[in-house]
Amino acid sequence: MEILSYNCPPNCQVVNLRWKLVKKASQSCESKPPSFREHRILCIRRDFRSGFSGYSISSWCFSKNLDREKGSNSSNAVQGFRNLNSQVLSGSYDGYVIGGEEDAGSFPKEREAIPKVLIPGLPDEYNGESGAPITSSFWEWKPKFNVHYEKAGCENVNSPPVLFLPGFGVGSFHYEKQLKDLGKDYRVWAIDFLGQGMSLPDEDPTPRSKEGDSTEEKNFLWGFGDKAQPWASELAYSVDLWQDQVCYFIKEVIREPVYVVGNSLGGFVAVYFAACNPHLVKGVTLLNATPFWGFSPNPIRSPKLARILPWSGTFPLPASVRKLIEFIWQKISDPESIAEVLKQVYADHATNVDTVFTRILETTQHPAAAASFASIMFAPQGNLSFREALSR
């Protein structure tokens, strides 16, 4: 049984694929064939140091200042990232992300209505039913380690708590529908793992001197300096870090044992965490959990092999890795690449993934995203394998 999403977000979104502009509006939730405008080049200019974000589309452009949150000690760069919202544009677009002219040609002029399958009890947003409101918050685990999370249903004080752990490359926003539905009856949380989503650092873990910055691109990338700040000297975005993050989040924020739900990477972390902290877990639900994570050997389980490899995801990035990461990041953070991945993940192209696409794209524009990705890829495996965790 599949649920076809017909809900429309309250604000219009900008979908940027192959650096061509697709305009869409959410004024109507009716199923209409997409309306395609003449393609125009979309140029994006961001200055994270000043907090300014500008968009220029041929002769038409708009811009906005990204206000800093009151009382926050975060830099303009991160506030610009956190407050980044899509602008309201005219036009009409409805349904799956469209890549370009070749995709547009595959749509008939009149699209047949797709029958909608509903699970009894779920809110039908197409007919105006709404779920529980979702609140976005930040929790400071350690100095400079700010964890973003979303919650719903906290007024249900006598109901069981449920914690959702996201997959790789996404965040708490991936569980929007679950939070809206389950938040009506339960207390529900979803977190962003450190190094992903909106749990990226507020400042450069390896700041460089101004004399060493020769290009604007180097100023833009955080984590590519030669010396790590004290708080980042042993930082590596590993599965062990994430299971510690989950442990302290439950102890300090939820403050009681929970039901843990994990998708993909989140499923691995859920099993790993439950095996290490059974007293904090009431139950575990795995959603397509990955049975493996980490390419570098664990220094405790394989000390000899770990000593052979020169780097294990800590900061700063070695000079030999930086060029490779810059090249890879340029490819995988491209909107076209993101759209292609979503097309593979969501086989039913009637599913509306616009919000997921937009949020992933926003994350890639954070100045720390590239170095965080490198740390994740080179961080060591956990102290327990997936099979060992399951056996516990």
Side-chain angles (χ1 to χ4, degrees), residues 141-175:
W141 176 20
K142 302 176 182 179
K144 313 297 183 181
F145 283 48
N146 294 312
V147 175
H148 173 259
Y149 67 97
E150 296 182 345
K151 59 183 178 180
C154 290
E155 67 278 4
N156 305 317
V157 293
N158 296 321
S159 299
V162 183
L163 175 62
F164 285 90
L165 307 181
F168 174 64
V170 291
S172 55
F173 63 85
H174 215 194
Y175 289 117

PDB file of all heavy atoms in Angstrom, residues 141-175:
ATOM      1  N   TRP A 141      24.707  20.526  22.858  1.00  0.00           N
ATOM      2  CA  TRP A 141      25.238  19.336  23.522  1.00  0.00           C
ATOM      3  C   TRP A 141      26.552  19.677  24.231  1.00  0.00           C
ATOM      4  O   TRP A 141      26.736  19.428  25.414  1.00  0.00           O
ATOM      5  CB  TRP A 141      25.431  18.227  22.490  1.00  0.00           C
ATOM      6  CG  TRP A 141      26.070  16.976  23.019  1.00  0.00           C
ATOM      7  CD1 TRP A 141      26.145  16.573  24.325  1.00  0.00           C
ATOM      8  CD2 TRP A 141      26.723  15.960  22.255  1.00  0.00           C
ATOM      9  NE1 TRP A 141      26.805  15.371  24.424  1.00  0.00           N
ATOM     10  CE2 TRP A 141      27.172  14.971  23.160  1.00  0.00           C
ATOM     11  CE3 TRP A 141      26.972  15.786  20.909  1.00  0.00           C
ATOM     12  CZ2 TRP A 141      27.858  13.829  22.751  1.00  0.00           C
ATOM     13  CZ3 TRP A 141      27.638  14.652  20.485  1.00  0.00           C
ATOM     14  CH2 TRP A 141      28.077  13.689  21.411  1.00  0.00           C
ATOM     15  N   LYS A 142      27.473  20.245  23.471  1.00  0.00           N
ATOM     16  CA  LYS A 142      28.761  20.692  23.983  1.00  0.00           C
ATOM     17  C   LYS A 142      29.027  22.060  23.383  1.00  0.00           C
ATOM     18  O   LYS A 142      28.316  22.479  22.460  1.00  0.00           O
ATOM     19  CB  LYS A 142      29.882  19.722  23.560  1.00  0.00           C
ATOM     20  CG  LYS A 142      29.688  18.275  23.997  1.00  0.00           C
ATOM     21  CD  LYS A 142      30.801  17.404  23.433  1.00  0.00           C
ATOM     22  CE  LYS A 142      30.620  15.942  23.792  1.00  0.00           C
ATOM     23  NZ  LYS A 142      31.700  15.100  23.209  1.00  0.00           N
ATOM     24  N   PRO A 143      30.026  22.794  23.880  1.00  0.00           N
ATOM     25  CA  PRO A 143      30.361  24.064  23.231  1.00  0.00           C
ATOM     26  C   PRO A 143      30.650  23.866  21.744  1.00  0.00           C
ATOM     27  O   PRO A 143      31.443  23.004  21.362  1.00  0.00           O
ATOM     28  CB  PRO A 143      31.619  24.520  23.991  1.00  0.00           C
ATOM     29  CG  PRO A 143      31.477  23.904  25.340  1.00  0.00           C
ATOM     30  CD  PRO A 143      30.827  22.563  25.103  1.00  0.00           C
ATOM     31  N   LYS A 144      29.951  24.608  20.916  1.00  0.00           N
ATOM     32  CA  LYS A 144      30.061  24.571  19.451  1.00  0.00           C
ATOM     33  C   LYS A 144      29.357  23.376  18.824  1.00  0.00           C
ATOM     34  O   LYS A 144      29.356  23.246  17.599  1.00  0.00           O
ATOM     35  CB  LYS A 144      31.539  24.570  18.997  1.00  0.00           C
ATOM     36  CG  LYS A 144      32.414  25.595  19.671  1.00  0.00           C
ATOM     37  CD  LYS A 144      31.967  27.011  19.373  1.00  0.00           C
ATOM     38  CE  LYS A 144      32.906  28.025  19.998  1.00  0.00           C
ATOM     39  NZ  LYS A 144      32.469  29.420  19.734  1.00  0.00           N
ATOM     40  N   PHE A 145      28.766  22.494  19.613  1.00  0.00           N
ATOM     41  CA  PHE A 145      28.048  21.330  19.090  1.00  0.00           C
ATOM     42  C   PHE A 145      26.545  21.579  19.288  1.00  0.00           C
ATOM     43  O   PHE A 145      25.958  21.165  20.292  1.00  0.00           O
ATOM     44  CB  PHE A 145      28.461  20.050  19.814  1.00  0.00           C
ATOM     45  CG  PHE A 145      29.781  19.496  19.389  1.00  0.00           C
ATOM     46  CD1 PHE A 145      30.891  20.303  19.289  1.00  0.00           C
ATOM     47  CD2 PHE A 145      29.922  18.153  19.091  1.00  0.00           C
ATOM     48  CE1 PHE A 145      32.121  19.805  18.911  1.00  0.00           C
ATOM     49  CE2 PHE A 145      31.148  17.630  18.703  1.00  0.00           C
ATOM     50  CZ  PHE A 145      32.263  18.465  18.612  1.00  0.00           C
ATOM     51  N   ASN A 146      25.930  22.260  18.328  1.00  0.00           N
ATOM     52  CA  ASN A 146      24.517  22.592  18.399  1.00  0.00           C
ATOM     53  C   ASN A 146      23.716  21.624  17.537  1.00  0.00           C
ATOM     54  O   ASN A 146      23.949  21.516  16.331  1.00  0.00           O
ATOM     55  CB  ASN A 146      24.276  24.032  17.935  1.00  0.00           C
ATOM     56  CG  ASN A 146      24.907  25.040  18.873  1.00  0.00           C
ATOM     57  OD1 ASN A 146      24.741  24.964  20.091  1.00  0.00           O
ATOM     58  ND2 ASN A 146      25.664  25.989  18.320  1.00  0.00           N
ATOM     59  N   VAL A 147      22.788  20.945  18.162  1.00  0.00           N
ATOM     60  CA  VAL A 147      21.994  19.914  17.498  1.00  0.00           C
ATOM     61  C   VAL A 147      20.609  20.458  17.179  1.00  0.00           C
ATOM     62  O   VAL A 147      19.899  20.929  18.068  1.00  0.00           O
ATOM     63  CB  VAL A 147      21.873  18.658  18.384  1.00  0.00           C
ATOM     64  CG1 VAL A 147      20.947  17.627  17.737  1.00  0.00           C
ATOM     65  CG2 VAL A 147      23.246  18.070  18.653  1.00  0.00           C
ATOM     66  N   HIS A 148      20.246  20.384  15.915  1.00  0.00           N
ATOM     67  CA  HIS A 148      18.905  20.802  15.516  1.00  0.00           C
ATOM     68  C   HIS A 148      17.943  19.625  15.646  1.00  0.00           C
ATOM     69  O   HIS A 148      18.282  18.487  15.322  1.00  0.00           O
ATOM     70  CB  HIS A 148      18.894  21.297  14.070  1.00  0.00           C
ATOM     71  CG  HIS A 148      17.517  21.585  13.546  1.00  0.00           C
ATOM     72  ND1 HIS A 148      16.835  20.708  12.718  1.00  0.00           N
ATOM     73  CD2 HIS A 148      16.681  22.634  13.756  1.00  0.00           C
ATOM     74  CE1 HIS A 148      15.652  21.219  12.433  1.00  0.00           C
ATOM     75  NE2 HIS A 148      15.535  22.372  13.045  1.00  0.00           N
ATOM     76  N   TYR A 149      16.743  19.907  16.122  1.00  0.00           N
ATOM     77  CA  TYR A 149      15.729  18.859  16.215  1.00  0.00           C
ATOM     78  C   TYR A 149      14.345  19.468  16.053  1.00  0.00           C
ATOM     79  O   TYR A 149      14.151  20.679  16.211  1.00  0.00           O
ATOM     80  CB  TYR A 149      15.830  18.103  17.541  1.00  0.00           C
ATOM     81  CG  TYR A 149      15.500  18.897  18.785  1.00  0.00           C
ATOM     82  CD1 TYR A 149      14.231  18.838  19.364  1.00  0.00           C
ATOM     83  CD2 TYR A 149      16.456  19.701  19.407  1.00  0.00           C
ATOM     84  CE1 TYR A 149      13.926  19.561  20.510  1.00  0.00           C
ATOM     85  CE2 TYR A 149      16.156  20.420  20.553  1.00  0.00           C
ATOM     86  CZ  TYR A 149      14.892  20.351  21.092  1.00  0.00           C
ATOM     87  OH  TYR A 149      14.581  21.073  22.226  1.00  0.00           O
ATOM     88  N   GLU A 150      13.395  18.623  15.718  1.00  0.00           N
ATOM     89  CA  GLU A 150      12.002  19.025  15.602  1.00  0.00           C
ATOM     90  C   GLU A 150      11.169  18.153  16.522  1.00  0.00           C
ATOM     91  O   GLU A 150      11.519  16.990  16.767  1.00  0.00           O
ATOM     92  CB  GLU A 150      11.523  18.922  14.150  1.00  0.00           C
ATOM     93  CG  GLU A 150      12.254  19.873  13.221  1.00  0.00           C
ATOM     94  CD  GLU A 150      11.747  19.821  11.786  1.00  0.00           C
ATOM     95  OE1 GLU A 150      11.021  18.851  11.460  1.00  0.00           O
ATOM     96  OE2 GLU A 150      12.077  20.721  11.006  1.00  0.00           O
ATOM     97  N   LYS A 151      10.091  18.703  17.017  1.00  0.00           N
ATOM     98  CA  LYS A 151       9.265  17.963  17.971  1.00  0.00           C
ATOM     99  C   LYS A 151       7.793  18.273  17.731  1.00  0.00           C
ATOM    100  O   LYS A 151       7.432  19.318  17.172  1.00  0.00           O
ATOM    101  CB  LYS A 151       9.644  18.319  19.409  1.00  0.00           C
ATOM    102  CG  LYS A 151       9.504  19.794  19.747  1.00  0.00           C
ATOM    103  CD  LYS A 151       9.974  20.098  21.162  1.00  0.00           C
ATOM    104  CE  LYS A 151       9.867  21.593  21.474  1.00  0.00           C
ATOM    105  NZ  LYS A 151      10.323  21.905  22.840  1.00  0.00           N
ATOM    106  N   ALA A 152       6.953  17.352  18.170  1.00  0.00           N
ATOM    107  CA  ALA A 152       5.505  17.517  18.054  1.00  0.00           C
ATOM    108  C   ALA A 152       4.840  16.711  19.164  1.00  0.00           C
ATOM    109  O   ALA A 152       5.384  15.705  19.632  1.00  0.00           O
ATOM    110  CB  ALA A 152       5.008  17.048  16.685  1.00  0.00           C
ATOM    111  N   GLY A 153       3.676  17.151  19.588  1.00  0.00           N
ATOM    112  CA  GLY A 153       2.896  16.404  20.562  1.00  0.00           C
ATOM    113  C   GLY A 153       3.395  16.446  21.978  1.00  0.00           C
ATOM    114  O   GLY A 153       3.064  15.563  22.777  1.00  0.00           O
ATOM    115  N   CYS A 154       4.190  17.437  22.330  1.00  0.00           N
ATOM    116  CA  CYS A 154       4.753  17.479  23.689  1.00  0.00           C
ATOM    117  C   CYS A 154       3.680  17.696  24.759  1.00  0.00           C
ATOM    118  O   CYS A 154       3.942  17.486  25.946  1.00  0.00           O
ATOM    119  CB  CYS A 154       5.809  18.574  23.777  1.00  0.00           C
ATOM    120  SG  CYS A 154       7.305  18.194  22.842  1.00  0.00           S
ATOM    121  N   GLU A 155       2.488  18.098  24.334  1.00  0.00           N
ATOM    122  CA  GLU A 155       1.407  18.256  25.305  1.00  0.00           C
ATOM    123  C   GLU A 155       0.826  16.903  25.724  1.00  0.00           C
ATOM    124  O   GLU A 155       0.093  16.817  26.718  1.00  0.00           O
ATOM    125  CB  GLU A 155       0.299  19.139  24.722  1.00  0.00           C
ATOM    126  CG  GLU A 155      -0.461  18.539  23.554  1.00  0.00           C
ATOM    127  CD  GLU A 155       0.258  18.701  22.220  1.00  0.00           C
ATOM    128  OE1 GLU A 155       1.396  19.216  22.224  1.00  0.00           O
ATOM    129  OE2 GLU A 155      -0.315  18.315  21.192  1.00  0.00           O
ATOM    130  N   ASN A 156       1.164  15.848  24.985  1.00  0.00           N
ATOM    131  CA  ASN A 156       0.674  14.510  25.323  1.00  0.00           C
ATOM    132  C   ASN A 156       1.575  13.899  26.402  1.00  0.00           C
ATOM    133  O   ASN A 156       2.297  12.933  26.167  1.00  0.00           O
ATOM    134  CB  ASN A 156       0.647  13.627  24.068  1.00  0.00           C
ATOM    135  CG  ASN A 156      -0.161  14.242  22.941  1.00  0.00           C
ATOM    136  OD1 ASN A 156      -1.239  14.782  23.161  1.00  0.00           O
ATOM    137  ND2 ASN A 156       0.361  14.157  21.719  1.00  0.00           N
ATOM    138  N   VAL A 157       1.505  14.473  27.591  1.00  0.00           N
ATOM    139  CA  VAL A 157       2.482  14.163  28.635  1.00  0.00           C
ATOM    140  C   VAL A 157       2.437  12.712  29.111  1.00  0.00           C
ATOM    141  O   VAL A 157       3.440  12.185  29.590  1.00  0.00           O
ATOM    142  CB  VAL A 157       2.280  15.107  29.846  1.00  0.00           C
ATOM    143  CG1 VAL A 157       2.637  16.532  29.463  1.00  0.00           C
ATOM    144  CG2 VAL A 157       0.842  15.043  30.353  1.00  0.00           C
ATOM    145  N   ASN A 158       1.324  12.054  28.959  1.00  0.00           N
ATOM    146  CA  ASN A 158       1.217  10.674  29.432  1.00  0.00           C
ATOM    147  C   ASN A 158       1.411   9.642  28.321  1.00  0.00           C
ATOM    148  O   ASN A 158       1.207   8.450  28.538  1.00  0.00           O
ATOM    149  CB  ASN A 158      -0.154  10.461  30.093  1.00  0.00           C
ATOM    150  CG  ASN A 158      -0.328  11.311  31.333  1.00  0.00           C
ATOM    151  OD1 ASN A 158       0.611  11.482  32.118  1.00  0.00           O
ATOM    152  ND2 ASN A 158      -1.533  11.851  31.526  1.00  0.00           N
ATOM    153  N   SER A 159       1.804  10.106  27.152  1.00  0.00           N
ATOM    154  CA  SER A 159       1.983   9.202  26.009  1.00  0.00           C
ATOM    155  C   SER A 159       3.443   8.803  25.855  1.00  0.00           C
ATOM    156  O   SER A 159       4.354   9.521  26.273  1.00  0.00           O
ATOM    157  CB  SER A 159       1.488   9.874  24.731  1.00  0.00           C
ATOM    158  OG  SER A 159       0.108  10.178  24.822  1.00  0.00           O
ATOM    159  N   PRO A 160       3.707   7.671  25.218  1.00  0.00           N
ATOM    160  CA  PRO A 160       5.092   7.214  25.028  1.00  0.00           C
ATOM    161  C   PRO A 160       5.876   8.162  24.119  1.00  0.00           C
ATOM    162  O   PRO A 160       5.324   8.723  23.175  1.00  0.00           O
ATOM    163  CB  PRO A 160       4.924   5.839  24.368  1.00  0.00           C
ATOM    164  CG  PRO A 160       3.528   5.423  24.669  1.00  0.00           C
ATOM    165  CD  PRO A 160       2.729   6.682  24.750  1.00  0.00           C
ATOM    166  N   PRO A 161       7.165   8.347  24.394  1.00  0.00           N
ATOM    167  CA  PRO A 161       8.012   9.171  23.525  1.00  0.00           C
ATOM    168  C   PRO A 161       8.599   8.349  22.380  1.00  0.00           C
ATOM    169  O   PRO A 161       8.971   7.190  22.552  1.00  0.00           O
ATOM    170  CB  PRO A 161       9.111   9.658  24.472  1.00  0.00           C
ATOM    171  CG  PRO A 161       9.240   8.555  25.480  1.00  0.00           C
ATOM    172  CD  PRO A 161       7.868   7.949  25.636  1.00  0.00           C
ATOM    173  N   VAL A 162       8.675   8.975  21.213  1.00  0.00           N
ATOM    174  CA  VAL A 162       9.222   8.333  20.018  1.00  0.00           C
ATOM    175  C   VAL A 162      10.294   9.249  19.433  1.00  0.00           C
ATOM    176  O   VAL A 162      10.067  10.448  19.277  1.00  0.00           O
ATOM    177  CB  VAL A 162       8.135   8.061  18.964  1.00  0.00           C
ATOM    178  CG1 VAL A 162       8.715   7.329  17.760  1.00  0.00           C
ATOM    179  CG2 VAL A 162       6.976   7.274  19.567  1.00  0.00           C
ATOM    180  N   LEU A 163      11.459   8.689  19.101  1.00  0.00           N
ATOM    181  CA  LEU A 163      12.568   9.461  18.536  1.00  0.00           C
ATOM    182  C   LEU A 163      12.909   8.916  17.153  1.00  0.00           C
ATOM    183  O   LEU A 163      13.190   7.731  16.998  1.00  0.00           O
ATOM    184  CB  LEU A 163      13.802   9.384  19.435  1.00  0.00           C
ATOM    185  CG  LEU A 163      15.079  10.041  18.904  1.00  0.00           C
ATOM    186  CD1 LEU A 163      14.884  11.540  18.692  1.00  0.00           C
ATOM    187  CD2 LEU A 163      16.247   9.788  19.855  1.00  0.00           C
ATOM    188  N   PHE A 164      12.889   9.791  16.136  1.00  0.00           N
ATOM    189  CA  PHE A 164      13.213   9.424  14.760  1.00  0.00           C
ATOM    190  C   PHE A 164      14.647   9.836  14.420  1.00  0.00           C
ATOM    191  O   PHE A 164      15.059  10.968  14.684  1.00  0.00           O
ATOM    192  CB  PHE A 164      12.251  10.103  13.787  1.00  0.00           C
ATOM    193  CG  PHE A 164      10.879   9.480  13.749  1.00  0.00           C
ATOM    194  CD1 PHE A 164       9.885   9.927  14.597  1.00  0.00           C
ATOM    195  CD2 PHE A 164      10.600   8.443  12.870  1.00  0.00           C
ATOM    196  CE1 PHE A 164       8.622   9.361  14.574  1.00  0.00           C
ATOM    197  CE2 PHE A 164       9.344   7.866  12.827  1.00  0.00           C
ATOM    198  CZ  PHE A 164       8.343   8.323  13.677  1.00  0.00           C
ATOM    199  N   LEU A 165      15.394   8.914  13.809  1.00  0.00           N
ATOM    200  CA  LEU A 165      16.767   9.166  13.373  1.00  0.00           C
ATOM    201  C   LEU A 165      16.816   9.127  11.849  1.00  0.00           C
ATOM    202  O   LEU A 165      16.371   8.156  11.240  1.00  0.00           O
ATOM    203  CB  LEU A 165      17.712   8.112  13.962  1.00  0.00           C
ATOM    204  CG  LEU A 165      17.659   7.926  15.488  1.00  0.00           C
ATOM    205  CD1 LEU A 165      18.665   6.859  15.913  1.00  0.00           C
ATOM    206  CD2 LEU A 165      17.933   9.239  16.205  1.00  0.00           C
ATOM    207  N   PRO A 166      17.380  10.154  11.211  1.00  0.00           N
ATOM    208  CA  PRO A 166      17.313  10.269   9.751  1.00  0.00           C
ATOM    209  C   PRO A 166      18.387   9.463   9.041  1.00  0.00           C
ATOM    210  O   PRO A 166      19.342   8.972   9.642  1.00  0.00           O
ATOM    211  CB  PRO A 166      17.520  11.769   9.525  1.00  0.00           C
ATOM    212  CG  PRO A 166      18.433  12.165  10.641  1.00  0.00           C
ATOM    213  CD  PRO A 166      18.020  11.323  11.832  1.00  0.00           C
ATOM    214  N   GLY A 167      18.228   9.361   7.731  1.00  0.00           N
ATOM    215  CA  GLY A 167      19.216   8.717   6.890  1.00  0.00           C
ATOM    216  C   GLY A 167      20.321   9.684   6.501  1.00  0.00           C
ATOM    217  O   GLY A 167      20.317  10.869   6.868  1.00  0.00           O
ATOM    218  N   PHE A 168      21.271   9.190   5.725  1.00  0.00           N
ATOM    219  CA  PHE A 168      22.411   9.994   5.303  1.00  0.00           C
ATOM    220  C   PHE A 168      21.970  11.066   4.308  1.00  0.00           C
ATOM    221  O   PHE A 168      21.215  10.807   3.379  1.00  0.00           O
ATOM    222  CB  PHE A 168      23.473   9.097   4.661  1.00  0.00           C
ATOM    223  CG  PHE A 168      24.624   9.857   4.063  1.00  0.00           C
ATOM    224  CD1 PHE A 168      25.457  10.607   4.866  1.00  0.00           C
ATOM    225  CD2 PHE A 168      24.871   9.821   2.698  1.00  0.00           C
ATOM    226  CE1 PHE A 168      26.524  11.315   4.327  1.00  0.00           C
ATOM    227  CE2 PHE A 168      25.937  10.513   2.154  1.00  0.00           C
ATOM    228  CZ  PHE A 168      26.761  11.257   2.968  1.00  0.00           C
ATOM    229  N   GLY A 169      22.448  12.289   4.531  1.00  0.00           N
ATOM    230  CA  GLY A 169      22.196  13.377   3.596  1.00  0.00           C
ATOM    231  C   GLY A 169      20.902  14.123   3.809  1.00  0.00           C
ATOM    232  O   GLY A 169      20.636  15.104   3.108  1.00  0.00           O
ATOM    233  N   VAL A 170      20.078  13.687   4.748  1.00  0.00           N
ATOM    234  CA  VAL A 170      18.828  14.394   5.025  1.00  0.00           C
ATOM    235  C   VAL A 170      18.809  14.805   6.496  1.00  0.00           C
ATOM    236  O   VAL A 170      19.853  14.896   7.125  1.00  0.00           O
ATOM    237  CB  VAL A 170      17.602  13.530   4.667  1.00  0.00           C
ATOM    238  CG1 VAL A 170      17.491  13.357   3.161  1.00  0.00           C
ATOM    239  CG2 VAL A 170      17.650  12.177   5.349  1.00  0.00           C
ATOM    240  N   GLY A 171      17.625  15.039   7.033  1.00  0.00           N
ATOM    241  CA  GLY A 171      17.545  15.461   8.430  1.00  0.00           C
ATOM    242  C   GLY A 171      16.153  15.255   8.971  1.00  0.00           C
ATOM    243  O   GLY A 171      15.349  14.499   8.421  1.00  0.00           O
ATOM    244  N   SER A 172      15.842  15.973  10.033  1.00  0.00           N
ATOM    245  CA  SER A 172      14.547  15.811  10.683  1.00  0.00           C
ATOM    246  C   SER A 172      13.393  16.141   9.756  1.00  0.00           C
ATOM    247  O   SER A 172      12.288  15.618   9.925  1.00  0.00           O
ATOM    248  CB  SER A 172      14.494  16.698  11.935  1.00  0.00           C
ATOM    249  OG  SER A 172      14.777  18.052  11.607  1.00  0.00           O
ATOM    250  N   PHE A 173      13.633  16.997   8.760  1.00  0.00           N
ATOM    251  CA  PHE A 173      12.565  17.376   7.828  1.00  0.00           C
ATOM    252  C   PHE A 173      12.018  16.175   7.064  1.00  0.00           C
ATOM    253  O   PHE A 173      10.895  16.215   6.571  1.00  0.00           O
ATOM    254  CB  PHE A 173      13.077  18.427   6.831  1.00  0.00           C
ATOM    255  CG  PHE A 173      14.193  17.951   5.935  1.00  0.00           C
ATOM    256  CD1 PHE A 173      13.927  17.269   4.766  1.00  0.00           C
ATOM    257  CD2 PHE A 173      15.517  18.201   6.265  1.00  0.00           C
ATOM    258  CE1 PHE A 173      14.948  16.837   3.930  1.00  0.00           C
ATOM    259  CE2 PHE A 173      16.550  17.782   5.447  1.00  0.00           C
ATOM    260  CZ  PHE A 173      16.264  17.083   4.271  1.00  0.00           C
ATOM    261  N   HIS A 174      12.796  15.107   6.976  1.00  0.00           N
ATOM    262  CA  HIS A 174      12.352  13.920   6.252  1.00  0.00           C
ATOM    263  C   HIS A 174      11.197  13.226   6.954  1.00  0.00           C
ATOM    264  O   HIS A 174      10.498  12.413   6.344  1.00  0.00           O
ATOM    265  CB  HIS A 174      13.532  12.955   6.085  1.00  0.00           C
ATOM    266  CG  HIS A 174      13.510  12.209   4.796  1.00  0.00           C
ATOM    267  ND1 HIS A 174      14.292  11.116   4.551  1.00  0.00           N
ATOM    268  CD2 HIS A 174      12.792  12.389   3.666  1.00  0.00           C
ATOM    269  CE1 HIS A 174      14.071  10.656   3.337  1.00  0.00           C
ATOM    270  NE2 HIS A 174      13.162  11.422   2.784  1.00  0.00           N
ATOM    271  N   TYR A 175      10.985  13.533   8.231  1.00  0.00           N
ATOM    272  CA  TYR A 175       9.935  12.889   9.019  1.00  0.00           C
ATOM    273  C   TYR A 175       8.756  13.822   9.278  1.00  0.00           C
ATOM    274  O   TYR A 175       8.009  13.650  10.240  1.00  0.00           O
ATOM    275  CB  TYR A 175      10.502  12.424  10.362  1.00  0.00           C
ATOM    276  CG  TYR A 175      11.450  11.245  10.250  1.00  0.00           C
ATOM    277  CD1 TYR A 175      12.786  11.371  10.627  1.00  0.00           C
ATOM    278  CD2 TYR A 175      11.009  10.018   9.796  1.00  0.00           C
ATOM    279  CE1 TYR A 175      13.654  10.293  10.546  1.00  0.00           C
ATOM    280  CE2 TYR A 175      11.878   8.928   9.709  1.00  0.00           C
ATOM    281  CZ  TYR A 175      13.197   9.075  10.088  1.00  0.00           C
ATOM    282  OH  TYR A 175      14.050   8.008  10.003  1.00  0.00           O
TER     283      TYR A 175
END
